[in-house]
Amino acid sequence: IMAATKASKEQKYDRQLRLWGDHGQESLENAHVCLINATATGTEILKNLVLPGIGAFTIVDGHTVSGEDFLCTLQNRAQAATELLQELNSDVSGNFVEESPDKLLDNDPEFFHRFTIVIGVQLPESTCLRLGSVLWSASVPFLVCKSYGLIGYMRLAVQEHTVIESHPDNALEDLRLYQPFAEFKNHIQSYDLDSMDKKDHSHTPWIIIVAKHLEKWLSEHNCQPPKNYKEKEAFRQFIREGILKNENGVPEDEENFEEAIKNVNTALNPTKIPSAVEDLFNCEQCNITSQSPSFWVMLQAVKEFALKEGNGSLPVRGTIPDMIADSQKFINLQNVYREKAMQDAAAVSKHVERLLQSVGKVCCSHCIANCKHLCWRLGKNAFFLRVVRCRSLAEEYSVDSVNKDEITSSMDNPDSEMVFYLMFRAVDRFYQQHSRYPGVYNYQVEDDISKLKLCVNSLLQEYSLNVNIKDDYIHEFCRYGAAEPHTVAAFLGGSAAQEAIKIISHQFVPFNNTFIYNAMSQTSATLQL
Amino acid sequence: MADTDEPMVVDGGSGRTCEWEGRWNHIKKFLERSGPFTHPDFEPSTEGLSGFCNIHVVDMDTIDLSNLNRQFLFRPKDVGRPKADVAADFINSRIPGCCVVPHFKKIQDLDETFYRQFHIIVCGLDSIVARRWMNGMLLSLLVYEDGVLDPGSIIPLIDGGTEGFKGNARVILPGMTACIDCTLELYPPQINFPMCTIASMPRLPEHCIEYVRVLLWPKETPFGDGVILDGDDPEHIQWVYQRSLERAADFHITGVTYRLTQAACATEVFKIASSAYIPLNNYMVFNDVDGLYTYTFEAERKENCSACSQVPLDLHFSPSSKLQEMLDYLTESASLQMKSPAITATVEGKNKTLYLQSVASIEQRTRPNLSKTLKELGLTDGQELAVADVTTPQTMLFRLCFTS
């Protein structure tokens, strides 16, 4: 039964396993997500987490189902939502707590410590800040979401989120042509382009071609590789001269040489450690203690590798792009890179073991095997390691640390998405003062405009924000009447669920730290507040 | 069926049994209240819009287990049933007042009388060919009076697609805004491995799988004559997988997995990416690999769009060009990208099929024409050629212009 279940899960989750792999799926299945408030937005987010198979969810909601939510039952909203969501995926465990988050914060704030991530939807400001503080201290990631009229809002609050597998869209290849390692140098010795027959000559990988010509160039140019445009152009011409000619002196059609020429630009870049990774090397978290998270132990190990076996470089990635070549030449070349990568990963792994030992953690054989595997993955991603640090909600809201620059510079364009952020803050004030949102009932719309405007002004004054908010936006937010249309809820549901998956799996890079979606113009912006 | 004059959906509360207090509260705030950003012609109304929710769903597929991780209208018990039927059943029983009519068919199996009845069409198709067909269908419904487009004949098309962490959505008003064919060049060309790599020089696991898919399968017909490889059939995939492993072993290539095999055999392989940037409004791209990124711009109509420009397209060839060259142009040109065009012309007063691929007997009969010159085929300067293809429901007319 276990095998059958595993096979059917492989099939069911096939389309997503292609994106985050079995290990990513495992982290999802070990996750316990908390959703606060099963509104349209909340349930859309949770649906998009239940379908791909998170381990468990718990809905916290003190509200009963109203006609606005759906079919009138006198059922608690948390319970109703749990039942419907549970139906979507029998692999997931669903729970609910019929309680307002404020009550839980009063009586049992540690309730929230058990979760992998907490997602708070349509929360009033006071609840949000209280919860934010508890979760920040407990290092539980907090994702705040709101659909309000035609505007969507997300805020991520996580102290430090580490990513090894960021899956960058357009990464340059790691070919080490500039400073070739010994095994590569040996490999290209086995090629003598001048003595090859036509078939072999035309099916030699372009990497070999560039390497061979670079060797010659270096010997004739005082060990200086081509650097500027003129030199690279001359180098390209040099390669072009290497193309075989027929008996009439006409160059043959050698696609592999054309590939070599085309790739000169990027292939000759020296393999530097990216500045983002250098910054990570300089973080104080690299001083390893017994409390250090594994990411930092691995990062320190990579740093030590770079200083020692790497001769100033990161571990070799080990992959090469496809290129015109016969199978054998390609595979042989690929294996040279692959084996070097494995060697480098093993060296990193040794550093990890040593570091763990130095802080009193003994490694059993299982750990060591696991470590080797993790370092193999680490080596493939060494150039793309990322750490995301969000400011806390407390920092965002405090007059002393508010990000004035970000706000005022964005508002140079008074129609930028920043205006919606400010309107959300003003609306939250309105709620604090009047215990309701503006314009919920038709008769309120007119009068609430001036009340909301007072909130806007007091907000700008309190934070000394010298910006202008057009009356149109104040009017619009009264018009919204705190409506939560499903179209906006659905968009936010998809976006927020994906960010939650990034947090849970530690793959791909989450946003930092505020995302605004404008459904009127179908535009969005990410702000760092 | 909703009245043609009125936009769809939403009842302001008429006390019917499918209504309850507060059901439309969220939506009413947008329909009943004007605001500073609403369109100047928008008139808020408390009467609401009468009529009920009427949706037709067209889908030729049945439900597969691998659909259940995202297609939330389906459950494990529904595997094997037509998607259209199950979706309709689910919504009709869950949402009171909603009437969804299913059509377990290809979109091409339905005609103008069917499509003409709708106020809006939403597409989540899995190929560009299908999108172009739908695009062409809606364009064919446009009514022009004295050269002026009757706006009542416009049926808006909402189209979207995703691949991994990327997606796009667009609004098309046929006859007014950019159509699918106007922006055809935004779609990067399909990745096709060169045949010599597949046949004799594989390097990647993908090459091995392609070899089995494209060369071995038609040769060995493992599941019977004429049985096409079905990317959703685990037995088919298993066969391809085993043979791909063998192929890979011959060349010492590692990395062939069942998962990779399945991905390579799936039909949903068109990447949708946009690299044309012009200022705003009807085309939105989305990418959340790193943070969340959206970009919205106005896809502009292409002046000489082969689908929506109404200007007959000229084909420029020398009279000594072979018909094969014309065929190559129709399939390879970035703006046309036809799949297997059938070309007919009126020669000496008679309709003559110059070349047609889709019917074996006609293909055989007309194949010799491909190596004949246009002059030999009796074609004259300025004459009309009619071309039919899967990418469009209507025959396209071209004008042949001889170059010297």
Side-chain angles (χ1 to χ4, degrees):
Chain A
I1 296 201
M2 287 290 270
T5 320
K6 190 171 190 299
S8 77
K9 263 173 145 186
E10 278 262 339
Q11 245 190 305
K12 180 162 81 166
Y13 297 138
D14 175 69
R15 300 302 191 272
Q16 68 204 44
L17 291 172
R18 295 180 198 175
L19 298 172
W20 51 69
D22 294 319
H23 57 289
Q25 186 64 28
E26 199 184 321
S27 61
L28 280 183
E29 292 178 14
N30 290 331
H32 189 169
V33 175
C34 177
L35 169 71
I36 305 179
N37 288 331
T39 66
T41 308
T43 48
E44 276 288 341
I45 298 172
L46 206 45
K47 151 178 122 346
N48 293 333
L49 290 171
V50 167
L51 286 169
I54 51 170
F57 66 86
T58 296
I59 299 180
V60 171
D61 196 335
H63 301 89
T64 45
V65 178
S66 80
E68 288 194 342
D69 298 316
F70 198 55
L71 233 14
C72 243
T73 69
L74 289 170
Q75 204 178 16
N76 165 262
R77 201 163 67 172
Q79 182 174 12
T82 300
E83 286 167 17
L84 290 169
L85 285 163
Q86 185 79 87
E87 202 203 299
L88 289 171
N89 190 345
S90 54
D91 298 335
V92 180
S93 312
N95 313 284
F96 63 92
V97 174
E98 289 178 40
E99 194 68 90
S100 79
D102 280 305
K103 270 275 179 58
L104 284 170
L105 285 168
D106 289 335
N107 301 328
D108 179 25
E110 290 185 13
F111 167 82
F112 294 104
H113 290 194
R114 78 196 66 185
F115 299 112
T116 320
I117 181 172
V118 173
I119 303 174
V121 167
Q122 316 294 78
L123 292 174
E125 184 178 303
S126 55
T127 315
C128 200
L129 291 174
R130 280 183 77 194
L131 185 55
S133 160
V134 166
L135 296 176
W136 187 263
S137 313
S139 295
V140 174
F142 185 27
L143 181 60
V144 181
C145 300
K146 252 195 282 244
S147 293
Y148 196 98
L150 295 175
I151 312 295
Y153 164 92
M154 290 202 294
R155 168 62 152 101
L156 178 65
V158 57
Q159 275 193 52
E160 181 181 277
H161 179 77
T162 59
V163 183
I164 295 179
E165 290 175 276
S166 57
H167 302 283
D169 251 339
N170 293 305
L172 286 178
E173 301 286 347
D174 181 21
L175 303 176
R176 306 291 166 114
L177 284 167
Y178 197 85
Q179 300 119 329
F181 48 91
E183 294 84 345
F184 181 80
K185 281 201 269 213
N186 286 344
H187 184 70
I188 62 172
Q189 287 326 324
S190 64
Y191 281 86
D192 180 5
L193 289 172
D194 297 329
S195 67
M196 285 175 152
D197 69 26
K198 179 165 187 317
K199 187 149 193 268
D200 278 333
H201 198 262
S202 305
H203 291 95
T204 297
W206 71 254
I207 291 178
I208 307 277
I209 296 171
V210 171
K212 285 298 232 191
H213 284 79
L214 185 61
E215 256 186 358
K216 249 193 248 162
W217 175 284
L218 289 172
S219 68
E220 290 166 13
H221 288 81
N222 201 20
C223 293
Q224 291 304 317
K227 291 210 185 70
N228 55 36
Y229 178 79
K230 199 167 151 203
E231 288 168 5
K232 285 189 178 172
E233 197 45 39
F235 186 66
R236 277 189 280 267
Q237 187 52 35
F238 179 34
I239 295 177
R240 186 167 288 288
E241 283 157 21
I243 295 178
L244 285 181
K245 297 183 178 52
N246 66 14
E247 55 277 355
N248 297 327
V250 177
E252 301 274 21
D253 193 11
E254 297 204 281
E255 259 189 273
N256 57 334
F257 272 77
E258 298 298 341
E259 277 187 338
I261 292 162
K262 204 169 72 170
N263 281 289
V264 161
N265 249 340
T266 46
L268 296 183
N269 292 336
T271 318
K272 285 191 315 192
I273 299 178
S275 59
V277 179
E278 283 280 11
D279 290 342
L280 294 181
F281 284 169
N282 294 330
C283 289
E284 54 166 35
Q285 286 92 330
C286 285
N287 297 322
I288 302 304
T289 68
S290 57
Q291 310 300 322
S292 293
S294 56
F295 175 87
W296 293 105
V297 177
M298 291 202 276
L299 190 80
Q300 177 62 20
V302 170
K303 182 172 154 189
E304 291 179 2
F305 168 89
L307 288 168
K308 197 170 154 211
E309 299 95 335
N311 292 314
S313 296
L314 295 174
V316 166
R317 202 176 307 159
T319 54
I320 57 173
D322 191 24
M323 59 193 74
I324 303 288
D326 65 54
S327 312
Q328 191 162 43
K329 290 190 182 63
F330 180 83
I331 305 288
N332 289 344
L333 179 62
Q334 191 179 56
N335 284 339
V336 169
Y337 280 94
R338 206 177 265 179
E339 273 152 30
K340 178 63 174 160
M342 277 170 59
Q343 225 181 72
D344 285 358
V348 172
S349 189
K350 278 263 164 321
H351 283 285
V352 171
E353 282 174 51
R354 216 189 29 77
L355 282 165
L356 289 174
Q357 257 167 20
S358 74
V359 291
K361 292 193 170 171
V362 179
C363 297
C364 64
S365 59
H366 173 75
C367 276
I368 293 177
N370 195 36
C371 185
K372 282 209 167 85
H373 183 74
L374 288 176
C375 288
W376 170 232
R377 192 179 291 150
L378 179 65
K380 287 206 268 193
N381 290 281
F383 287 79
F384 317 121
L385 305 173
R386 298 278 297 269
V387 175
V388 174
R389 295 188 180 96
C390 304
R391 297 206 325 151
S392 67
L393 294 178
E395 285 174 285
E396 176 187 340
Y397 280 68
S398 158
V399 171
D400 299 324
S401 52
V402 62
N403 194 344
K404 272 177 81 167
D405 286 342
E406 178 94 348
I407 298 174
T408 46
S409 61
S410 297
M411 288 301 287
D412 274 345
N413 167 15
D415 298 309
S416 84
E417 275 77 13
M418 181 61 83
V419 73
F420 299 114
Y421 168 74
L422 294 169
M423 285 312 306
F424 275 128
R425 294 291 303 269
V427 160
D428 278 342
R429 268 180 191 226
F430 188 104
Y431 185 82
Q432 251 169 355
Q433 281 168 32
H434 305 277
S435 300
R436 63 175 177 87
Y437 285 107
V440 174
Y441 294 100
N442 288 348
Y443 72 85
Q444 294 170 326
V445 178
E446 189 83 34
D447 290 338
D448 282 353
I449 293 175
S450 45
K451 292 200 180 82
L452 183 56
K453 186 156 187 176
L454 288 174
C455 293
V456 169
N457 291 337
S458 83
L459 173 80
L460 298 180
Q461 200 174 45
E462 184 180 327
Y463 290 93
S464 315
L465 293 168
N466 190 9
V467 300
N468 177 43
I469 296 185
K470 293 183 192 168
D471 282 348
D472 279 349
Y473 290 105
I474 301 175
H475 181 176
E476 184 71 358
F477 268 67
C478 285
R479 175 184 178 235
Y480 290 157
E484 196 185 348
H486 206 100
T487 45
V488 179
F491 183 94
L492 217 56
S495 305
Q498 192 48 49
E499 295 309 298
I501 289 175
K502 290 181 191 175
I503 296 289
I504 294 168
S505 66
H506 287 267
Q507 294 188 39
F508 303 94
V509 183
F511 71 107
N512 183 1
N513 55 34
T514 302
F515 176 78
I516 307 269
Y517 166 64
N518 177 354
M520 292 191 281
S521 58
Q522 295 294 6
T523 53
S524 72
T526 300
L527 315 165
Q528 201 160 23
L529 295 166
Chain B
M1 199 169 91
D3 288 344
T4 45
D5 303 344
E6 293 181 334
M8 62 173 241
V9 204
V10 193
D11 187 284
S14 65
R16 295 195 224 171
T17 49
C18 60
E19 296 309 319
W20 56 84
E21 182 69 33
R23 182 177 185 186
W24 303 116
N25 279 1
H26 292 287
I27 300 185
K28 273 160 98 162
K29 282 159 188 162
F30 299 98
L31 298 178
E32 295 175 7
R33 302 177 178 182
S34 67
F37 299 104
T38 55
H39 193 277
D41 295 342
F42 173 69
E43 297 239 358
S45 152
T46 52
E47 282 171 23
L49 308 149
S50 60
F52 28 55
C53 170
N54 239 286
I55 303 176
H56 287 242
V57 176
V58 180
D59 197 321
M60 58 185 259
D61 269 340
T62 54
I63 297 163
D64 180 69
L65 180 53
S66 67
N67 298 146
L68 300 182
N69 78 327
R70 63 201 185 282
Q71 295 170 18
F72 59 87
L73 299 176
F74 311 141
R75 300 285 177 272
K77 63 174 169 51
D78 301 318
V79 173
R81 285 186 62 200
K83 288 189 178 180
D85 291 346
V86 177
D89 285 346
F90 189 103
I91 295 175
N92 289 334
S93 47
R94 185 69 72 97
I95 316 275
C98 212
C99 177
V100 179
V101 178
H103 302 270
F104 176 36
K105 291 191 161 98
K106 298 210 292 266
I107 52 170
Q108 294 91 341
D109 294 335
L110 298 156
D111 65 12
E112 319 83 65
T113 25
F114 176 77
Y115 290 109
R116 194 174 272 131
Q117 65 181 299
F118 299 107
H119 302 117
I120 193 165
I121 303 215
V122 180
C123 287
L125 297 164
D126 64 0
S127 75
I128 296 176
V129 168
R131 283 180 171 85
R132 290 177 74 185
W133 190 93
M134 181 55 70
N135 184 60
M137 166 56 70
L138 296 184
L139 287 168
S140 74
L141 298 177
L142 296 176
V143 173
Y144 289 87
E145 276 161 52
D146 296 325
V148 176
L149 175 59
D150 168 20
S153 65
I154 299 176
I155 301 177
L157 172 64
I158 313 270
D159 175 60
T162 65
E163 201 215 345
F165 291 74
K166 300 177 190 158
N168 82 314
R170 61 193 298 185
V171 179
I172 294 172
L173 299 171
M176 282 180 64
T177 62
C179 76
I180 300 276
D181 283 55
C182 289
T183 53
L184 203 56
E185 283 141 20
L186 287 182
Y187 298 115
Q190 205 182 344
I191 299 169
N192 285 317
F193 301 119
M195 198 36 82
C196 58
T197 302
I198 304 300
S200 54
M201 243 179 292
R203 295 174 296 270
L204 304 177
E206 288 85 343
H207 299 158
C208 302
I209 298 168
E210 195 73 353
Y211 170 82
V212 176
R213 199 175 73 82
V214 169
L215 292 174
L216 266 194
W217 179 284
K219 198 168 105 178
E220 298 190 19
T221 58
F223 292 86
D225 233 336
V227 174
I228 301 179
L229 174 56
D230 178 1
D232 292 322
D233 186 335
E235 277 184 42
H236 288 202
I237 302 296
Q238 187 62 33
W239 188 88
V240 174
Y241 172 55
Q242 289 305 332
R243 302 311 283 265
S244 302
L245 280 173
E246 288 167 26
R247 175 85 172 156
D250 287 343
F251 290 87
H252 307 288
I253 295 172
T254 57
V256 173
T257 61
Y258 185 90
R259 198 175 289 167
L260 187 65
T261 308
Q262 193 172 34
C265 294
T267 46
E268 15 163 320
V269 283
F270 288 88
K271 288 188 189 305
I272 299 181
S274 157
S275 56
Y277 300 124
I278 330 162
L280 167 10
N281 97 15
N282 55 19
Y283 197 121
M284 180 191 198
V285 297
F286 176 93
N287 180 341
D288 67 354
V289 169
D290 186 335
L292 299 105
Y293 171 79
T294 68
Y295 189 82
T296 312
F297 64 97
E298 179 184 4
E300 290 184 347
R301 288 186 78 180
K302 197 168 155 212
E303 248 184 74
N304 53 347
C305 173
S306 54
C308 76
S309 70
Q310 294 198 288
V311 172
L313 290 170
D314 289 343
L315 288 176
H316 298 273
F317 287 95
S318 126
S320 58
S321 307
K322 306 231 168 64
L323 186 64
Q324 180 70 55
E325 287 175 53
M326 183 183 291
L327 193 76
D328 290 342
Y329 174 74
L330 293 171
T331 51
E332 289 164 17
S333 129
S335 57
L336 291 173
Q337 292 188 44
M338 293 192 168
K339 294 294 159 195
S340 55
I343 313 173
T344 53
T346 313
V347 179
E348 283 156 18
K350 279 189 276 191
N351 227 349
K352 179 176 176 170
T353 302
L354 296 174
Y355 183 66
L356 189 147
Q357 223 175 313
S358 49
V359 180
S361 55
I362 305 179
E363 198 280 325
Q364 239 180 337
R365 183 169 58 74
T366 55
R367 200 186 308 156
N369 288 343
L370 291 175
S371 38
K372 294 202 182 132
T373 67
L374 303 181
K375 190 166 173 209
E376 282 170 353
L377 291 167
L379 302 176
T380 55
D381 186 27
Q383 88 160 88
E384 217 173 56
L385 295 167
V387 181
D389 186 54
V390 290
T391 50
T392 163
Q394 288 201 305
T395 308
M396 282 181 70
L397 294 175
F398 292 89
R399 189 173 57 182
L400 179 59
C401 299
F402 277 157
T403 59
S404 46

